[in-house]
Every structure is written in structure tokens, then in C-alpha cells.
Amino acid sequence: MGAPFKGIIEDVKGRAQCYKQDWICAICSGVSILAPTFYIFFASALPVIAFGEQLNRDTDGSLSTVETLASTAICGVIHSILGGQPLLILGVAEPTVIMYTYLYSFCKNRPEVGEKLFLAWAGWVCVWTAFILILLAIFNACTIITRFTRLAGELFGMLITVLFFQEAIKGLIGEFNTPKNEDPSSVEFQFQWRYTNGLLAIIFCFGLLVTALKSRRARTWRYGTGWLRGFVADYGVPMMVVLWTALSYGVPGKIPHNVPRRLVCPLPWDPESLYHWTVVKDMGKVPLVYIFGAILPALMIAGLYFFDHSVASQMAQQKEFNLQKPSAYHYDILLLGIMTLICGILGLPPSNGVLPQSPMHTKSLAVLRKRLIRKKVVKSAKECIKQQRTNSELYGKMEEVIVEMDTDPTDKELETLKEAVMKSDKRDGTEEKFDPEKHIDAYLPVRVNEQRMTNLLQSLLVGVSILAMSVIKRIPTSVLWGYFAYMAIDSLPGNQFWERILLLFITPSRRFKILEGSHASFVETVPFKTIASFTALQMVYFLVCFGVTWVPIGGILFPVPFFLLVPIREHLLPKLFKPSHLQELDASEYEEIVGAPHGSRMEKEQNGSDSDESSEDFYDAEILDEMTTNRGELKLRSVSSFNDRNHSFNEDRHNQVYPGGGV
Amino acid sequence: MGAPFKGIIEDVKGRAQCYKQDWICAICSGVSILAPTFYIFFASALPVIAFGEQLNRDTDGSLSTVETLASTAICGVIHSILGGQPLLILGVAEPTVIMYTYLYSFCKNRPEVGEKLFLAWAGWVCVWTAFILILLAIFNACTIITRFTRLAGELFGMLITVLFFQEAIKGLIGEFNTPKNEDPSSVEFQFQWRYTNGLLAIIFCFGLLVTALKSRRARTWRYGTGWLRGFVADYGVPMMVVLWTALSYGVPGKIPHNVPRRLVCPLPWDPESLYHWTVVKDMGKVPLVYIFGAILPALMIAGLYFFDHSVASQMAQQKEFNLQKPSAYHYDILLLGIMTLICGILGLPPSNGVLPQSPMHTKSLAVLRKRLIRKKVVKSAKECIKQQRTNSELYGKMEEVIVEMDTDPTDKELETLKEAVMKSDKRDGTEEKFDPEKHIDAYLPVRVNEQRMTNLLQSLLVGVSILAMSVIKRIPTSVLWGYFAYMAIDSLPGNQFWERILLLFITPSRRFKILEGSHASFVETVPFKTIASFTALQMVYFLVCFGVTWVPIGGILFPVPFFLLVPIREHLLPKLFKPSHLQELDASEYEEIVGAPHGSRMEKEQNGSDSDESSEDFYDAEILDEMTTNRGELKLRSVSSFNDRNHSFNEDRHNQVYPGGGV
């Protein structure tokens, strides 16, 4: 564990050195920084709005979209300015919503606290959570997150997925019923209009779900220009929310107002929202026993936040991104504790690092940066080739450009590029010459524009959107249920637990279909029976975890089974499965094997003649899309090899930090 | 043209010789003949029901589902017993429905005829149509159908597709309005229930559309056993109609009866249906000028039927199916004339040969037959290999089995197989030995179980389904609109006109995606600019054709632009395009080039170890599915070759019969 404060001090020292640079880098990029800003803003704001509506229903309006947006904005601004790792995106996440729902249903039934003191008591929970988080930071607890393996992360991811589905279904069914706290005698709650509302909800919900899923995959569409496809892929989901909201205004005027139902939440200047500023006064009114009782939920929340925050941070800093600036895990947990305290006192649900937005953020900055470098390098290389320079001159020129663009390319990277350029010279005429258009991608170092501006701007945009609540309120609730279903489905690909479940439904004769395409490495290295029994075991455990969430108040202990996975993984599982198999199934990285060749011959043939600006611009974004799971985890690609079945066993893997999804 | 009656006499002679065999073959197959029977019954009955509903709306109930089913059943039974080519499936098709709609709207506005004498006048149209068809048969006109090229066939197919979409959209919009001939003051036509009905219609329509499209592609699913996937692919669409009909009964009881709306049509024993038996009596009441005026629509219908019937017949007899029994084009047209006469006199809309059901019929019989032969041959070959016989012994055994199973294998086919078996012996150890499991498919002759039983049974089933009208009436109309949309979308893949339109929307840099997958040969052999201008021209012509259908009564001439395509294709187009390009774009066959290799290495590897019964059983059905367009046209597969760009120019193609889609 090391000496107290050791981690925090090191983190602060490391980040302080590049703090100025964090701002300068952003200013140098100019206007182009706005693209990733808006991209992350939409990716981050939409779920927060949806969670706000969920909280609103589950806490009878004590908390709503205004509070979730406010928390996200405040924590985002604080983190972007004072945070250690500015690539990390903060927001109110599903675990917070679930926890607050348990807290509320606990309070509601105790007259000593009641609905009135709910926020005050939740404030105490936040105080304790902050205390625990700060302790964890001081005692360098971040070193232990390696014990949480893929198993726990993916199981938790699956739980969130199922809860999203549950929310979508519950919401959709609710559209057919009269909501509580509403007057059932009013026109819009007459049977025929409730039924109409329900039918409209089905249409909007599935409409949003299908169009969002389609537009998400726009980058792989065959039709349309690269720019259009890229735009739809990046902004399609918010666009679809806007589209379906607009369509919802197409209902005839004869239908009663409020069919279809839209978000119900107070505006930020309504008394319900203003009450939050005085929550701190009520905190003194909470009975002492409840103040200390708040330690139990605080333990759960602190545990969840600690791991979620660290894992989101890790995923934003995967080694394939080639970040140049240091990490700050310990310091960020400290700051998270402080932010939780602030949120608790303000009566807001706290924010923490979110997935998949954090790795999405890094990815979008990597694409931006890479595109800039690539253009310059290709241009200079082409000029050299035109002037028929030698390859060493060519390399020299390319190095010059890279060094100019890049703050600090490593020697190894430059070495690889040099080798590639030189080698093409030595071979005789049958081998093709070094063609910058084709070959530069493989040797170009990945660079992320590491700065604080996108995070700050997107947090400010979230803050501004609170003022636009009157516009946000126009979104039909059914569109949000569709969005929950979208989030659920979108989180499945890349979750190896899910992929293994699907594998069980493939008949043996069809398994070649899996091997034909890209597939996770365990498919080849672990016997099918082992995969099946491991998955069945995980499924049973998952059902237990899901069952716990249904327990009325004990449900608040739902993180416990996930914490228990640490000893289970370390002591029990190695007795049931071979260590090598376990290592593959619970690998720290998403290792993917390329199946059948992807028609590379043709591709080259075409690229030579037809490649134009638009393909150049979006090509790498598409590749990055293909190379990451939907949670933002980068896949390690290796060529399929039936003969070399042990190729994916690395000695150092077992103790590596798991970057596969948070708890 | 040849001497009158020459074609008919030859056809009758040819088919008479194998008439007895046509029945014996079926009886030998036993119960397994029921699978293709039910398959074709569902594929044939569903559109007939949908067309019946369309006719019902467009003729204000003069004709309905009972009549379309009756016509299909009567003509089917006649054709299966007396017809020349028993593989041809008959049914009421969209052109008939369109024509009858024009006839009705013409009659309605003439007081001399009116709605009352509509069927009698339509009877006269049928009489003239029959007369023209019989003349065409006598004078061997079938020899001229080669002049109708892919251009005309696909343009017509596209028109039908657009009309299907139009029908789906019209129907869906109609669900929000009060239907004519209904009492607008009744409860279910109050605004709120009309709106509810419309919303339910949207849900059922899109629900059917999406699920039907998904289940259609079940054979390529990754999940589930081969048997299940095959079953869903073959019967999924009718299953989905049943499913959505069942779901439509899930609406709460408080909703008025008849929301959602269901088929409105008289039962076969209702007076409206019984009237048809007396239409012949009314035929005398039609004024003389109208009797002779009926020649004009009769000319149109005869032209359409002549080509549709012949092309459907051709598509059912494509040379890749390797049929052993003779064709009977001339005789079948004669019989079509007689059947049209019978239908006209009975007041029924006539039936003709339908696409894609006719080639689907042949395909289903080919799969059945191939599976039987394959099993026996592989079994005997394996036995021989086990006993370590020489390859000539092996071949002898295989030949024996094939001859036993097959009525008449050609010498050439056996020669190819022999060569394959023998060759594997001569090569040394590095080459793999002849493995029956892997290699037999390529050498096994395709055989179709040519018989009359499936056609007879499916026609009888259609007849029986008339008695089940009270069940059919439970289908919500909205499900049928979804089915129209399904038919429209399902008819698009494989239509080269459509594929060329899509090609225009692919940016140059993405065209490699087309070349990567299987693609029509013209993509490689014709310059893009030529493809674009040809497609643009076709598009304009298509819009003209579509425009004609909107002309109130002159719309009846809508087949004229298609007939005009014969001189246009022969005289005008060769002046605008290079003959070689024209030949590729308007090719008589769907030639497809295999793009990137399909991971065959893996497939083999897997097949060796994992292939089980179920894969064996359905493998060839899946291949056949992949090898045919959705209209039932077989694709010619050839390996992609950039160097040999002229490989697809065959000398004999230009004058070949076009099997690509009917007019």
C-alpha cells in the first residue's frame, strides 16, 4: 500500500508539470476542438437526462433531470479544471440512480425521516461516502483495483444492461396506466386516451430504438459520403431523439394535451429546484441513529464509485492510446470524494467517472489528432517521392514533420517508421515501394490531444442545457424508454460474457461462422465444454445478483456479490478451472483474432485508384470504431493461427490491471 | 413462327410420354412430398389473400378474397392435371388486380354497364383474352419471348414493387380514416377509435414487416439448429401473419369491436359469393359496343399473361435445375387461354403463372431430391473407402447408386464424377484424397423431383382454405399492408436495376465494398459512367411507366410502355451504348462474381471435425438460397478476375431466352 499520501503527492507532482500545457494544447487546436466537445456533450447529456427521468419517477419527484444535469455540470467543471486526468468524463450514472432509489424507498417508510428529510439523509450518505473515498485515496487503495477482473466488470455491465431493459419495459407498460400523483379523472387518463398514449409510446420507443441502432452503425454503411456517414455515426442518436420528439408533435390537435406524455420535471427556478440550496440546513434535523446508519449505504456507494471511477479512468488511458502525460488515480479519487461531499450538501446525486463516455472522449481526441498529423506527413512524404529523393531523405522529412506536430514521439516509434521506409528500398522491383497513402497508418504513432478544454466546454454545455429545461421537457417519455433499450442493446457487443452466452446457442456445425469472422481469442484456445460450464456458472451468479436488486430494502446491498467476486475469483475458481483457461476466459484485455482474410487484395486495388479526400478523413475513425468494443475497450488484434494455440498466453497478463468495464 | 399448331402438338407429344411417370414419381417420394407442398401452398396462398383484399377495396366488394382463392384453386387443379409443365404454379397476380381495378373504375362511371354488369363485362374481356391467347399458342408465338430482355422484366418488377409500396402506404393511411360504405356515426369510427385503429395498424404493419424480413433470412442465422432455421426460413412469413393476428386479439376488451379492422369479405356461401355462378347469364345484357370495346383491355391482359406465364415457366425450368422432362410453352399458353375463359364465365379474376413461386417450387423439389441422393451416395462411398477399395471400384459403386436413384443421368455428368474420383488417385500424397463428404456436392447432378402431385395438393389446399374464410377473415388488414411492404422489399435484392440504383449512391472510395462481396459481373466489366447513364435512362423510363398507372382510365394501357421496350431495346439502345456494355447490363443471366474468398480454409477445417446431421441436411438448401435471387433466378457464379475482364462475354448469350423476370 505504501505510505499515506504517497500516491496523491506523486499524482499532483506529475500533473502539475503539464498543467499549463493542458490548456495550451487545446488553444492550439483551434476550432476543430469543438467537434469532440459536441460529440461528448451529446453522449454524456442524453443518459443524464434519461437517468433524471428515472430518478424522478422512483423518488416521486424529489430528484429529477435538473439535479442530475446540475451534478454532472458542476462535477464536470471541477474535474476539468482541478482533476488529475482531464480525459475522464464525469456524470450521474445508473449505479447512483439505483442507490438513490433504494435510499428513497427506505426513507419513505420511516416517519422519522420521511420524504421530507430524504435529501438531507442522502446528504449524510454522501458525507460518509466522501470520507471513505478520501481515506481510500490517502492510503493508496488504487493499487488493489487489479483484483477486480473482467469477470466482475462484465457481470456488473450485464446487470446494468438488464436494469436498462427493465426500465424500458416498466416505462413502456406505465404509458398505458395512469401515473401516480396524477388525477385519474382528467381527460388524458380516460381509458381511450391512456390506450392511445400507450400505442404512441410503443411506436416512439421502437422507432427511436431502431433508428438509433441503425445510425450508430452509419460509419459502415455502403451509401453516402464519408462525411455524412461519420456525422450520422457521431451525432445520430441525439438527432434521432430530436427527430422522434418532432414527430411526436405530429399528433392531431383533437388529442388531449399531454398525449403522448412528456418529461415531468420542475424548471431550475421552480421552488422544488430551489429547495436544494437549503438541504444543508435540514441535515441537522436527521436523527443521530440515521446519521450513523448512513455508513452502510455509504460503504456500498464508495465501493462502487471507487471502482467505477478508476476503471473509467483506466479505459480512457488504455496503453494503445499512447498517452504522453501521467495518470492520477489516487488524486482523482480524492477529488471524487470532495465532489461527492459538495453534491451531498447541495442535495444533488453525485457524479463519477462514466463508461463508455470516458474512452469515447479519448478516442475522439485521438482521431482528431491523428488526422492532423497524417495529413501533414502524407503531404510531405508525397512531395519527397515526387522529387525522387532517397528513402533516407524521405524518412528524414517525415520525422521532421512528426516531431514538429508531436510533443514527444518515442524513439521506438520513430525506429519502426524508419525501418519501414528503409526496407522498401532494399527489396527489388517486385516489391512495391513505400506508398505513404497506404502504409503510413500502420507506422504513425497514435496521439491523443490531451487537454482540459473539451471536458470543460462539454461540462459547461451540460450546465447551459439546464437552462434549456423547457426544451428538454418536450421529449416524450416514451422516447426515453426507447433510449434505455438502446443503451442496453448497445452495451452488449464486446461484453465477453454476452458473447459466450450467444456461443452456447450456436450448433457445433455452425461454429465455423464465428471462426470466419473476427472473434475473441478464447473461442480458439479454450475447449467448448469449459466455456459452457464457466458461462453457466457466471449466469447463475448473475441471476443471484439480479435477484438481490429485487429485495425491497436489502437490495441496497446489491454491490456485495460483486465485491465477493474478488475472493471467489482468487480462491474458488482456480479449483474449478484450469488456470490457463481461466486466464483466457477472464483475460485482462479483449484479445481478438482476425478470421478469414478481409479481401485485402481488392481493397488495395481500389485504394490505389479511387481513394479520395473523404475516405482519407474518416478512414481511421472507422478503423478505431471496429477496433473498440461498445464500452470503449480496445481490442488487441492478432492474426488467427490454428497451429499456435498458445499465442495469447502472456506471462505478465495475470497481474495486469483489468481495463474491461467498471463495477 | 412455323406451321400453326406445330408447337402445341410437339408439347403434347413430349409431355404425354412422361405423364404416367409424373404421378408415379410423386407416389414414390411418399410423405416427404408434403414439405414442398405446404411450403408452396403458404407462399402461394398469402399473396392471393392480400390481392383479394386489395381487389375488395378497389372494386367496392365486387370481387374479394373468396374469388381470388377460388380462381387460384380451380386454375391450379386444372393446370396440375392437364398442364404441360407441372412445376409452374398458378395464381391471381398483381397485374390481374391492377387490370381489374381499371376495368371496374371504367364500368362504375358508365351507366350502361355500371357496377352491376362489371363482372359480366369483365367476363367478355376474359373471352377476348382467351381468344387472343389461344391464337398466340396456335401460331407458336412463344418463340418471340426472347425479345423481352432483362431490361423490360426488371422494369416491370420494379413497377410491381412500387405498386406494392403504394398499396401498403394507402392501406396504412386508410386505417386512420373511415372506410367508404361504412357508417361514420358508428362507435368504432369516432375520432379516438379511428386514431387508435391507425396506431395499431402502424404497429402491426411494421411488426409484420420486420419479423417477416428477419425470419426470411433465418437460414443464415448463427443461432439455433439447422432444422429450426430451415423451418423458420420456409414457413416464417405465414407464421408471422398468424403471430401478429394472434397478437391483434390481445387488445383490451374495452376497445370497440372491429378495432383493429379485419378483412371484410363475404363467406363463400353468402349471396354475394353465390352470385358469381350466374355471371354468365348477365353476359348477354352487356351492350354490343362494350362487348367489342372489351378487345382493348383484352389485348393488354393477353400481352401481360402471355409473357408472365412464359417467363414464370422459364424460371421454373432454368437449365441449372437440370430438368429431364420436356417443356410445353405453347400448350401451356393454350391451356391458359381456356382457363381464362372458364374464370371469366364464372366471374372470377383469372390466374396465370406466378413469380417467384414457380422457381421456388422447382427449388424446393430440387433440394428434396438432392438430399435423398446425396445421403445414399455418401454412405456407399464411405463404405468403399473404409474397405480400402480402389478409386475405380469406388466410382463404380457411386455410379450404381446414382443410376438406381436417378431415372436418367447423362453420360457427361457421370464422366465428370468419374474424373474427379480418379484424379484424386493419381496425385501424390500431398493432395488430399477424394472425400465424399466434402467433394460430392460439386459433382452430384442436380435433380428435381418432377411430378404433378405437389402442385395438385397445394391447389387443393388453396381450395380448402376458401372454406376457412371465417378464419382468414380474422387477419387484421394492417397485417396485410405489412405483407405488401414485405413483398415489395423482398422483391428488390437480385433486381439489377435496383442494384444499379444503389450503386449510384456509393461514393467512389467505398466501391471496393461491393467488389469485396459477391457482385453482379457488370460492376467489373462496364465503366461506371455507362452504368450511371444507363440507369438514369431506365429511371426516367420507369417514372413514365409509373406515371401512366396514375392516369384515370388510360392507365389501363400501362403495359404499352413495356411492349414498346422491345423496339427500343433492339433499335434505339444500341445507338446509345456500346453493344458489349449493353449485353452486360441487359444480360440474359444473373452473372455473379465471387469477391473476397469466403474463409474456405476455416470452413473445411471445421467441417472435417464438426459436421453433423443437421448441417448435412440443410447445407444445400442454404447454398441454393444464396445462389438464387429473390425472384428465383439462379445466379451464375464465377471467381472474380480482374485480369480477365472479358470472361463473361459469351457468343451465344445475345440470343438466349431471358429468364430474369416476367412482364
Side-chain angles (χ1 to χ4, degrees), chain A residues 11-40:
Chain A
D11 286 349
V12 171
K13 273 188 195 159
R15 292 302 314 193
Q17 285 177 346
C18 50
Y19 191 78
K20 203 174 153 193
Q21 176 99 59
D22 281 349
W23 295 106
I24 293 171
C25 263
I27 291 157
C28 294
S29 313
V31 190
S32 66
I33 206 93
L34 290 179
T37 301
F38 278 101
Y39 173 63
I40 285 301

Side-chain angles (χ1 to χ4, degrees), chain B residues 292-328:
Chain B
F292 283 98
I295 293 180
L296 185 71
L299 268 171
M300 296 295 127
I301 298 180
L304 283 181
Y305 277 20
F306 173 65
F307 289 106
D308 235 12
H309 202 68
S310 305
V311 169
S313 186
Q314 267 181 351
M315 295 276 276
Q317 304 176 67
Q318 289 170 74
K319 72 167 188 285
E320 287 78 7
F321 284 133
N322 242 326
L323 298 188
Q324 306 294 308
K325 295 177 182 172
S327 65

Side-chain angles (χ1 to χ4, degrees), chain A residues 12 39 52 100 106 177 202 208 231 256 270 343 398 464 470 523 543 564:
Chain A
V12 171
Y39 173 63
Y100 265 65
F106 175 78
N177 302 322
I202 290 179
L208 181 93
F231 184 81
D270 284 347
C343 287
M398 284 164 76
V464 169
S470 50
V523 181
L543 289 176
L564 280 181

Side-chain angles (χ1 to χ4, degrees), chain B residues 496-497 500-502 504 530-540 577 585:
Chain B
Q496 292 193 347
F497 176 31
R500 275 185 279 113
I501 293 173
L502 289 183
L504 301 185
T530 313
I531 297 179
S533 52
F534 187 78
T535 307
L537 201 74
Q538 204 174 351
M539 195 68 211
V540 171
F577 298 95
L585 292 170

Side-chain angles (χ1 to χ4, degrees), chain A residues 241-257:
Chain A
V241 170
V242 171
L243 175 75
W244 285 98
T245 303
L247 284 177
S248 77
Y249 279 94
V251 297
K254 285 188 209 167
I255 287 180
H257 180 71

Side-chain angles (χ1 to χ4, degrees), chain A residues 191-196 199-200 202-203 218-226 229 250-252 254-255 502-503 505-517 524 594-599 601-603 605-607 610-612 614-615 619 622 640 642, chain B residues 191-196 199-200 202-203 218-226 229 251-252 254-255 502-503 505-517 519 524 594-599 601-603 605-607 610-612 614-615 619 622 640 642:
Chain A
F191 169 72
Q192 72 266 32
W193 296 121
R194 271 193 289 126
Y195 195 69
T196 304
L199 294 179
L200 282 171
I202 290 179
I203 293 170
R219 240 189 277 280
T220 60
W221 287 354
R222 280 189 173 178
Y223 310 105
T225 62
R229 280 181 286 113
V251 297
K254 285 188 209 167
I255 287 180
L502 289 183
L503 199 63
F505 288 93
I506 300 180
T507 50
S509 60
R510 298 285 277 194
R511 272 181 223 138
F512 74 89
K513 286 236 167 193
I514 291 289
L515 294 172
E516 250 179 51
E524 285 187 18
V594 178
H598 274 48
R601 187 175 58 87
M602 300 263 180
E603 213 162 310
E605 194 117 7
Q606 276 304 104
N607 273 0
D610 277 339
S611 73
D612 60 2
S614 67
S615 87
Y619 208 53
E622 191 178 338
S640 170
F642 272 95
Chain B
F191 169 73
Q192 71 265 36
W193 297 122
R194 269 193 290 125
Y195 195 68
T196 304
L199 294 179
L200 282 171
I202 290 179
I203 293 170
R219 240 189 279 279
T220 59
W221 288 354
R222 280 189 173 177
Y223 310 104
T225 62
R229 280 181 284 113
V251 298
K254 283 189 210 168
I255 286 180
L502 289 183
L503 199 62
F505 288 92
I506 300 180
T507 50
S509 61
R510 298 287 277 194
R511 270 181 224 139
F512 74 90
K513 285 237 169 194
I514 291 288
L515 295 172
E516 250 179 54
H519 52 278
E524 287 188 17
V594 178
H598 273 51
R601 187 174 59 87
M602 300 263 180
E603 212 163 310
E605 193 117 3
Q606 275 305 104
N607 273 0
D610 276 340
S611 73
D612 60 2
S614 67
S615 87
Y619 208 54
E622 192 178 336
S640 171
F642 272 92

